[in-house]
Amino acid sequence: MATIEECRSALDRLAENLAGASGDLRDAAAPDRSLSCHITDLDVTFVGHLAGGHIQDVRTLPGTPERRAEIALTMSGDDLVALVDGRLKFAKAWAAGRVRVQASLRDVLRLRSLL
């Protein structure tokens, strides 16, 4: 089971990947959206803001947040790490129910290209 520190590190790596992206990937990361990632096995949620290809102001909260973010992800810590490392494909994990997404269809399609 991934730790909170490993999950935070995975989010930091995702943020670095977004910051260094170009072309279509950069365009996918461009929208200005609130973002949350609930880690089910640790019962913590990372909340932040996706803007200009960067994940900003990331905080760790216990449990699930009171307000739903515009892009809300739910998964295990191991799945988050595997997604960011490229060992787990987003579409496969989403179809299998390992990753749950609450977002507009456009944002889901963008997420698919980011992860």
Side-chain angles (χ1 to χ4, degrees):
M1 181 168 84
T3 65
I4 291 176
E5 292 79 19
E6 290 169 323
C7 292
R8 179 58 193 249
S9 177
L11 287 174
D12 289 343
R13 286 193 317 274
L14 178 60
E16 288 172 15
N17 293 344
L18 294 176
S22 60
D24 291 341
L25 185 57
R26 180 72 173 184
D27 293 342
D32 186 0
R33 302 279 190 272
S34 60
L35 177 70
S36 71
C37 182
H38 179 70
I39 307 300
T40 55
D41 50 339
L42 299 174
D43 196 29
V44 298
T45 303
F46 296 96
V47 295
H49 202 81
L50 177 63
H54 299 278
I55 301 174
Q56 305 169 348
D57 305 322
V58 177
R59 297 172 315 186
T60 306
L61 304 174
T64 56
E66 290 180 21
R67 281 188 13 205
R68 187 174 78 85
E70 292 168 291
I71 300 173
L73 303 168
T74 303
M75 67 190 82
S76 72
D78 289 339
D79 286 342
L80 172 63
V81 172
L83 279 170
V84 173
D85 287 347
R87 293 180 283 119
L88 178 64
K89 300 296 180 199
F90 177 77
K92 183 178 178 179
W94 184 36
R98 291 173 64 179
V99 174
R100 290 188 307 258
V101 179
Q102 291 181 320
S104 71
L105 181 58
R106 173 178 268 163
D107 287 334
V108 170
L109 294 174
R110 284 184 176 133
L111 273 177
R112 200 178 103 189
S113 66
L114 294 175
L115 300 170

